[in-house]
């Protein structure tokens, strides 16, 4: 699993996740709860592939197939429990909606995503942008800042001869 960016809010026990899932009209299946708990423990948005690997390695002995995982992720996004973030390589990354960052840095070489550092001015800037959009007759439903460049590791690799 990726371990670079978003710190989860206070961890929820599986029973609390089950209550939240049911409150959104979904069944609190074993796979749904495993995905939510994995994403809660993650420090960065995860891809389908990284979630597959984590589910296979979580020691539960409960396999999950690729299609089931796609369906679980789609349902959780539709229920507003997860946020789907698409990188420039068109790979979807998933994070808990409650801990979705308002800004991300994407490495143009390795496509890793890192939450932008917390800055008390960022929400105000995004709100100003939203107000300007509304003045032009546009109504936004979500604003996420996306910054592109090279991460520290790729920057070091590019400096090597």
């Amino acid at each position: 699993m990726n371990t670079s960016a978003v710190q989860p809010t206070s961890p929820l026990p599986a029973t609390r996740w089950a209550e939240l899932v049911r409150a959104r009209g979904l069944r609190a299946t074993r796979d749904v709860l495993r995905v939510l708990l994995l994403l809660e423990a993650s420090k960065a948005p995860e891809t389908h592939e990284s979630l597959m690997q984590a589910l296979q390695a979580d020691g539960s002995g409960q396999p999950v197939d690729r299609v089931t995982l796609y369906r679980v992720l789609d349902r959780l996004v539709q229920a507003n429990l997860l946020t789907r973030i698409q990188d420039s390589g068109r790979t979807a990354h998933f994070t808990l909606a409650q801990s979705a960052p308002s800004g991300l840095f994407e490495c143009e070489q390795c496509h890793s995503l890192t939450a932008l550092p917390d800055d008390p001015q960022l929400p105000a800037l995004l709100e100003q942008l939203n107000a300007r959009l509304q003045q032009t007759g546009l109504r936004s439903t979500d604003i996420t800042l996306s910054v592109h460049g090279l991460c520290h590791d790729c920057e070091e690799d590019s400096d090597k001869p």
Side-chain angles (χ1 to χ4, degrees):
M1 278 178 42
N2 194 341
T3 57
S4 56
V6 180
Q7 280 289 26
T9 57
S10 61
L12 292 177
T15 54
R16 182 69 180 118
W17 275 120
E19 291 171 12
L20 287 171
V21 167
R22 288 186 195 105
R24 302 290 173 96
L26 299 177
R27 290 182 24 222
T29 65
R30 177 195 70 220
D31 293 334
V32 165
L33 297 177
R34 287 172 67 202
V35 167
L36 288 168
L37 291 169
L38 279 171
L39 286 171
E40 183 178 47
S42 177
K43 295 179 183 176
E46 299 290 344
T47 64
H48 177 274
E49 185 60 35
S50 66
L51 286 167
M52 261 321 275
Q53 290 173 2
L55 288 167
Q56 290 170 348
D58 74 355
S60 71
Q62 304 291 329
V64 62
D65 64 80
R66 298 178 96 58
V67 174
T68 299
L69 180 56
Y70 277 118
R71 289 179 180 151
V72 165
L73 293 170
D74 283 342
R75 286 185 197 122
L76 292 172
V77 168
Q78 290 172 356
N80 294 319
L81 289 169
L82 297 185
T83 299
R84 179 187 334 239
I85 303 162
Q86 189 167 333
D87 67 23
S88 60
R90 297 178 46 126
T91 300
H93 299 253
F94 300 89
T95 189
L96 295 177
Q98 69 192 30
S99 62
S102 41
L104 291 167
F105 177 89
E106 180 182 349
C107 179
E108 293 174 340
Q109 190 166 331
C110 70
H111 297 286
S112 64
L113 295 179
T114 305
L116 294 179
D118 285 335
D119 184 329
Q121 295 178 351
L122 184 57
L125 290 171
L126 294 176
E127 192 54 43
Q128 285 179 352
L129 177 58
N130 190 37
R132 297 286 285 174
L133 288 171
Q134 288 177 354
Q135 290 173 357
T136 63
L138 301 172
R139 186 178 73 83
S140 67
T141 57
D142 183 38
I143 297 177
T144 303
L145 180 62
S146 179
V147 179
H148 297 259
L150 289 178
C151 69
H152 180 69
D153 292 341
C154 292
E155 182 78 44
E156 282 183 355
D157 289 345
S158 69
D159 290 340
K160 293 178 184 173

